[in-house]
Amino acid sequence: MCGIVGITSFKEVTPRIISSLKKLEYRGYDSAGIASVSDGALQVTKSKGKLINLIEKLNQVSDANSYSYPSIAIGHTRWATHGNINSENAHPLTSENKVAVVHNGIIENYDSIKISLESEGYTFRSQTDTEVLPHLFMKYIKLGNNFLQAGRLVLKEIKGAFAFVAMSLDFPNELFVSRNSSPLAIGIGDKSNFVGSDAHSIDHLTQKIIYLEDGDHA
Ligand code: GLU
């Protein structure tokens, strides 16, 4: 179980995602990743090992492309429980390049959910329990639900100890967050809102913190 951050804003978010992930490093981790929406597309960068590896990769990506700066992003440091330590299993995990999710904890009933999603045509690219989350979001969005409705339907299906943050290209100004036995705090800022695994990870960005309780979503 390690660290989660997310930011929605009107300004560029990547430096703030990195600064928050740095504040979660003390918890220990084996890989790190970030997803953002830029120019109408999901951009995902992940790497094994220390955060500095991810930062170097992000610098290479931004040198090679002329993306506009993202104003929504999620970041993660992983402590693997299901699947090897490699960049495929690092978070964010995605579905159809449209939904991205970062997750801490364990989805206990992922096996049966995975079997039914595979029978519906979803392809799994990681060995993680987490990957059921982006595919479930995708499934419920395709059925015509908005992001909040989709998140609530996902919560009805999953069991376990978790905290997660989801984002979707179809709802590019929203994050869906939820916790059950893993910590998560929301920060309300001036034209920016934040979410992090603990208050410490976002208290350099805002002083207005809401601590979620088990079973909460937002
Ligand atoms: N169970 C997930 C995985 O193995 C999340 C691990 C974590 O809490 O970082 O990828």
Side-chain angles (χ1 to χ4, degrees), residues 108-204:
E108 279 161 16
N109 58 338
Y110 81 97
D111 233 355
S112 58
I113 298 175
K114 182 173 175 177
I115 290 166
S116 83
L117 284 167
E118 281 176 330
S119 74
E120 291 170 43
Y122 289 91
T123 305
F124 282 72
R125 295 194 168 76
S126 79
Q127 304 160 305
T128 64
D129 52 329
T130 303
E131 197 180 341
V132 297
L133 295 174
H135 294 311
L136 281 176
F137 268 94
M138 195 70 234
K139 169 180 163 172
Y140 289 121
I141 290 168
K142 278 186 188 165
L143 287 171
N145 295 286
N146 67 30
F147 205 34
L148 181 61
Q149 290 164 335
R152 287 176 172 162
L153 290 165
V154 172
L155 289 175
K156 281 195 179 148
E157 294 219 22
I158 59 174
K159 293 190 177 70
F162 55 79
F164 70 82
V165 182
M167 59 190 259
S168 161
L169 272 191
D170 289 311
F171 305 96
N173 303 315
E174 294 176 44
L175 295 174
F176 182 95
V177 312
S178 178
R179 72 158 277 182
N180 191 40
S181 301
S182 291
L184 208 57
I186 289 176
I188 307 296
D190 178 23
K191 297 186 179 160
S192 299
N193 292 315
F194 313 96
V195 60
S197 289
D198 59 20
H200 171 68
S201 65
I202 51 176
D203 65 6
H204 59 304

Side-chain angles (χ1 to χ4, degrees), residues 1-2 76-82 89 91 103-106 128-130:
M1 194 166 303
C2 206
H76 188 260
T77 49
R78 177 176 187 235
W79 188 275
T81 64
H82 292 63
N89 290 335
H91 302 208
H103 158 236
N104 284 153
I106 293 171
T128 64
D129 52 329
T130 303

